[in-house]
Amino acid sequence: MDRSMTFRLLMFAGLALSLSACGGFRESLGMNKQSPDEFRVVSRAPLTVPPDFQLRPPEPGAPRPQVGTPAQQAERAVFRNSQGAQQTANAAPRRVTVGEQALLSATGAQAADPNIRLIVNRETKQINEESDYFVDRLVFWNDVPPTGTVVDPVAERRRLQENAALGQPVTTGPTPQIERRRQAPLEGIF
């Protein structure tokens, strides 16, 4: 062989080897494994011969009438009865059977309060506030400051004595308050 031919063959082999490492090249050759998406795999209804041979062929991409919507599939799975098997995607809503009515009345579902969410929120409000307090103490290592204002006793006594000396009513003048300062993040740890 000629040296230039050997060089060309080696260059071609090196190029093919380097391109085979690329993901896009491997994918275009079909060398990558492609597993199906587990969320898109759906079981299909078996093929059956329709009783009416005058049916039109299905439209490409149209939903299958024997499968129905996911809500109808779930309803058929939960309530297996003769009506559920005969329904299709375009059928009217099904009736509640006698057994289902008995189950609903035995559990008290028909007498349920429509405002139950408001009642539950009102009853659990105190529990939620207590759990927030516990988490704040656990995470931030300090007590939550008490709510409200604190009256300065020395200044309030002075104000009341001045009002009494001047003959003014007790409610004259603003009530002196103690201003709480914010605690530094690391204050009280060390």
Side-chain angles (χ1 to χ4, degrees):
M1 262 200 227
D2 189 71
R3 291 187 96 179
S4 63
M5 184 65 142
T6 307
F7 180 72
R8 285 182 187 169
L9 283 174
L10 286 175
M11 288 297 291
F12 181 71
L15 181 65
L17 184 62
S18 65
L19 281 179
S20 68
C22 295
F25 186 74
R26 290 177 59 94
E27 191 172 307
S28 65
L29 291 178
M31 296 173 68
N32 285 350
K33 180 181 177 184
Q34 294 180 353
S35 58
D37 184 8
E38 64 269 11
F39 297 108
R40 302 189 102 209
V41 175
V42 180
S43 61
R44 300 266 183 177
L47 295 176
T48 59
V49 177
D52 185 11
F53 292 105
Q54 301 300 326
L55 291 176
R56 304 182 80 209
E59 296 285 327
R64 299 172 61 151
Q66 67 267 29
V67 173
T69 64
Q72 290 170 338
Q73 289 177 357
E75 186 177 342
R76 280 195 303 267
V78 173
F79 302 110
R80 290 200 186 268
N81 59 14
S82 60
Q83 292 176 351
Q86 296 170 357
Q87 283 188 345
T88 61
N90 301 328
R94 68 176 194 81
R95 291 182 170 170
V96 179
T97 63
V98 177
E100 292 168 352
Q101 287 176 349
L103 177 66
L104 292 174
S105 64
T107 58
Q110 294 171 334
D113 188 3
N115 296 326
I116 190 67
R117 177 51 50 201
L118 295 174
I119 295 169
V120 169
N121 286 344
R122 189 177 330 120
E123 290 176 352
T124 59
K125 182 177 181 182
Q126 182 179 5
I127 296 170
N128 292 339
E129 289 173 355
E130 289 174 1
S131 67
D132 289 343
Y133 174 73
F134 174 73
V135 170
D136 287 343
R137 286 197 64 191
L138 186 66
V139 173
F140 299 115
W141 296 354
N142 56 4
D143 292 332
V144 177
T147 58
T149 58
V150 178
V151 176
D152 185 3
V154 175
E156 177 66 8
R157 181 175 169 212
R158 189 178 322 122
R159 184 184 71 85
L160 291 174
Q161 288 174 348
E162 288 174 3
N163 286 344
L166 296 173
Q168 296 177 345
V170 179
T171 58
T172 303
T175 304
Q177 298 176 357
I178 296 177
E179 296 290 328
R180 290 191 179 114
R181 67 176 182 86
R182 281 188 65 185
Q183 198 173 15
L186 297 177
E187 187 176 353
I189 295 177
F190 298 108

